[in-house]
């Protein structure tokens, strides 16, 4: 099975100075040291454009939707613009974009709606590599007699065991739920190929792209998936979730909704009043990425092309940081590295790293780094199946280091030096 559809063409070097100037919070100091935000997988920082858009909502468009007066119309226009931005982001039509509180809430709601149509004995395939938000909502359908089949990993490199996947997709499979990239070890899954396998078996494909979205361009048309979810707070936007659904699928399933709410797309899936100020911020986050793309490639005319140019540049930047960091980490005594470390295979992973050092509890390491202004994450980050499968759940899980495009080589070196110091103690 081939590896993921990434844009591997080269870009001119990322304009890091411009990027960092867009993110005011990157100037934060901790104990007299510059903060190094290596906590992106739990939520990225936001550019000034996003903050301005949220503020502008309150200044000029703070009203509920569809009223016959100026602020309500302004809000309608902002939401429509944000939906258009997300349609370019996903590469779909506007009415196929659904906003929601976060990926977890959206997925539970979708699973409940899909579950209405399933019967005992129907099967859903989930994986050991996934965040629990792409496992628990489907497991909840076990109450109805739906059978959940879980695909294993190859623990040597933390990739999905594709032979196991092929065995588990059968004529009884109704849906395959797979992550685009692991939020723990960074593995990128061959989701286009898995979508074909699912469709050949007559099943739907649901992709959790929450972790992939800050690292690579998403193209739901090319993937041909039925559903794809991601959360703007992981790609430089505010704390919300978004869903792409193929139009026929969004029409096929019946969400639980209040009677007076519209039944048209996409409204039928957006229950209650949305966090409208944050939807304004989502549009601005996508436009920030497009602005970055135009700076990287002046020939990128429309927003979609600009987004592709942005990701070409950020991916190249992140791969360079990743190589530098992995090389440094592998030289640290007693460091256990999880996942793909060979630079020749970087197209199969993104720049999120999980490690352990000896028997140290990862919280202890995270604290040590935090006191030095370096922000990382410790625990299982809700990738519970994986931390159990790798036998680290009872020992505090992993330490996660997340690199995104606003991180620098200097920050990567600082992290490695601090971990070396920790390991020497
Ligand atoms: C891969 C992945 N999927 C799903 C989620 C859940 O997203 P949300 O916080 O939007 O519910 C996360 C959050 O960390 C994640 O990393």
């Amino acid at each position: 099975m081939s590896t993921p559809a990434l844009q591997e063409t080269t870009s001119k070097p990322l304009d890091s100075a411009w990027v960092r100037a867009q993110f005011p919070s990157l100037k934060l100091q901790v104990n007299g040291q510059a903060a190094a935000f290596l906590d992106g997988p739990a939520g990225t920082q936001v550019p000034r454009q996003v903050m301005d858009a949220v503020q502008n909502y309150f200044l000029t468009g703070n009203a509920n939707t569809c009223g016959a007066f100026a602020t309500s119309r302004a809000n309608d226009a902002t939401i429509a613009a944000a939906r258009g931005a997300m349609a370019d982001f996903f590469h779909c039509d506007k009415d196929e974009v659904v906003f929601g509180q976060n990926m977890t809430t959206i997925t539970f709601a979708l699973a409940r709606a899909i579950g209405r149509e399933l019967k005992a004995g129907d099967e859903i395939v989930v994986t050991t590599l996934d965040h629990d938000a792409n496992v628990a909502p489907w497991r909840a359908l076990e109450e109805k007699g739906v059978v959940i089949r879980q695909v294993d990993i190859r623990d040597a490199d933390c990739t999905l065991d594709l032979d196991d996947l092929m065995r588990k997709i059968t004529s009884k499979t109704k849906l395959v739920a797979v992550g685009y990239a692991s939020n723990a070890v960074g593995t990128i899954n061959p989701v286009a190929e898995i979508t074909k396998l699912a469709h050949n078996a007559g099943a739907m494909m649901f992709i959790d792209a929450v972790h992939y979205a800050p690292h690579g361009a998403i193209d739901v048309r090319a993937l041909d998936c039925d559903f794809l979810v991601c959360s703007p707070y992981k790609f430089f936007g505010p704390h919300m979730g978004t869903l792409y659904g193929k139009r026929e699928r969004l029409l096929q399933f019946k969400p639980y909704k209040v009677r007076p709410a519209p039944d048209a797309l996409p409204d039928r899936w957006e229950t209650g009043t949305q966090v409208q100020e944050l939807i304004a911020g989502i549009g601005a986050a996508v436009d920030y990425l497009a602005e970055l793309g135009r700076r990287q490639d002046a020939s990128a005319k429309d927003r979609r092309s600009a987004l592709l140019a942005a990701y070409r540049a950020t991916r190249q930047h992140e791969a360079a940081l990743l190589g530098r960091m992995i090389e440094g980490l592998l030289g640290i005594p007693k460091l256990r590295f999880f996942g793909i470390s060979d630079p020749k295979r970087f197209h199969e992973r993104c720049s999120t790293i999980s490690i352990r050092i000896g028997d140290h509890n990862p919280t202890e390491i995270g604290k040590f780094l935090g006191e030095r202004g370096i922000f990382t994450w410790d625990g299982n980050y809700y990738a519970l199946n994986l931390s159990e499968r790798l036998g680290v759940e009872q020992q505090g899980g992993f330490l996660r280091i997340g690199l995104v495009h606003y991180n620098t080589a200097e920050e990567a070196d600082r992290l490695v030096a601090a971990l070396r110091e920790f390991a020497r103690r």
Side-chain angles (χ1 to χ4, degrees):
M1 207 176 270
S2 72
T3 44
L6 291 169
Q7 311 80 43
E8 291 302 341
T9 44
T10 51
S11 154
K12 73 177 189 194
L14 183 77
D15 185 350
S16 261
W18 181 83
V19 164
R20 289 185 66 86
Q22 309 313 300
F23 289 82
S25 58
L26 297 183
K27 296 198 179 67
L28 197 75
Q29 299 262 319
V30 179
N31 298 335
Q33 307 210 47
F37 290 86
L38 301 178
D39 62 333
T44 50
Q45 300 304 299
V46 300
R48 167 74 64 198
Q49 294 86 326
V50 169
M51 302 177 197
D52 289 346
V54 175
Q55 186 182 40
N56 192 48
Y57 165 88
F58 285 118
L59 290 172
T60 63
N62 185 14
N64 217 319
T65 52
C66 303
F69 55 96
T71 46
S72 180
R73 287 192 179 126
N75 181 32
D76 289 341
T78 302
I79 293 174
R83 208 180 294 285
M86 279 311 297
D88 285 345
F89 187 85
F90 285 140
H91 201 202
C92 65
D93 291 334
K94 288 182 196 169
D95 63 349
E96 295 175 310
V97 174
V98 175
F99 293 116
Q101 191 179 340
N102 49 52
M103 178 277 184
T104 307
T105 308
I106 289 173
T107 307
F108 268 109
L110 183 68
R112 266 196 304 274
I114 291 176
R116 291 172 111 169
E117 316 294 327
L118 299 182
K119 56 180 191 324
D122 286 343
E123 295 184 0
I124 291 181
V125 173
V126 300
T127 89
T128 300
L129 201 50
D130 270 76
H131 187 286
D132 212 50
N134 197 21
V135 179
W138 308 114
R139 283 215 174 271
L141 300 178
E142 285 178 312
E143 285 171 7
K144 291 197 59 168
V146 170
V147 177
I148 304 296
R149 302 224 168 256
Q150 188 169 311
V151 176
D152 200 5
I153 55 155
R154 292 180 284 226
D155 47 4
D157 61 0
C158 295
T159 55
L160 278 184
D161 180 340
L162 298 173
D163 295 328
D164 192 38
L165 178 105
M166 284 189 251
R167 274 193 301 274
K168 295 222 160 109
I169 298 179
T170 70
S171 57
K172 291 189 191 155
T173 311
K174 297 299 171 202
L175 182 133
V176 178
V178 175
Y180 207 142
S182 158
N183 70 317
V185 290
T187 312
I188 298 173
N189 296 316
V191 284
E193 285 86 347
I194 298 174
T195 302
K196 283 196 196 104
L197 291 174
H199 286 173
N200 287 344
M204 294 179 288
M205 178 72 176
F206 176 94
I207 300 176
D208 170 5
V210 171
H211 191 68
Y212 184 76
H215 302 293
I218 292 167
D219 187 337
V220 293
R221 289 262 181 280
L223 292 171
D224 192 35
C225 54
D226 298 274
F227 302 101
L228 181 144
V229 271
C230 64
S231 302
Y233 75 94
K234 310 277 193 182
F235 61 90
F236 323 108
H239 286 89
M240 281 196 70
T242 49
L243 163 75
Y244 154 77
K246 245 184 207 171
R247 184 176 297 105
E248 59 265 35
R249 296 296 186 199
L250 293 178
L251 289 168
Q252 174 186 353
F253 295 104
K254 282 200 304 276
Y256 291 88
K257 64 184 273 297
V258 292
R259 287 171 301 160
D263 203 31
L265 291 187
D267 312 58
R268 68 199 303 243
W269 291 94
E270 293 180 348
T271 41
T273 304
Q274 297 291 302
V275 195
Q276 303 169 145
E277 55 272 37
L278 299 189
I279 293 179
I282 295 176
V286 174
D287 281 334
Y288 154 74
L289 284 170
E291 191 180 348
L292 170 60
R294 284 189 201 97
R295 292 182 69 87
Q296 292 297 134
D297 178 357
S299 72
K301 294 281 177 274
D302 56 79
R303 185 163 48 196
R304 177 73 192 165
S305 317
L307 290 170
L308 297 180
Y311 279 110
R312 274 196 298 276
T314 61
R315 186 150 174 86
Q316 186 175 286
H317 177 80
E318 289 171 11
L321 294 187
L322 179 69
R324 189 181 181 111
M325 186 172 277
I326 291 182
E327 199 184 330
L329 292 175
L330 295 182
I332 295 176
K334 295 199 198 134
L335 184 138
R336 182 171 171 204
F337 183 93
F338 297 87
I340 296 167
S341 60
D342 179 356
K344 288 196 226 59
R345 295 183 61 198
F346 277 5
H347 56 285
E348 291 177 68
R349 63 162 301 144
C350 58
S351 47
T352 298
I353 295 170
S354 273
I355 59 158
R356 287 183 58 90
I357 298 180
D359 290 334
H360 291 285
N361 191 305
T363 308
E364 192 196 333
I365 313 174
K367 253 177 93 184
F368 178 88
L369 296 172
E371 282 156 10
R372 286 155 182 75
I374 303 172
F375 305 164
T376 56
W377 216 268
D378 59 272
N380 62 29
Y381 352 107
Y382 288 15
L384 179 61
N385 285 338
L386 185 66
S387 68
E388 287 178 344
R389 170 69 172 78
L390 294 174
V392 298
E393 179 61 18
Q394 300 308 320
Q395 284 80 45
F398 321 83
L399 181 88
R400 179 175 66 187
I401 307 151
L403 293 160
V404 293
H405 75 293
Y406 53 59
N407 292 121
T408 63
E410 189 268 331
E411 289 174 331
D413 293 349
R414 245 178 88 197
L415 179 279
V416 171
L419 285 181
R420 226 183 266 130
E421 187 190 334
F422 179 88
R424 267 200 306 270
R425 295 180 325 155

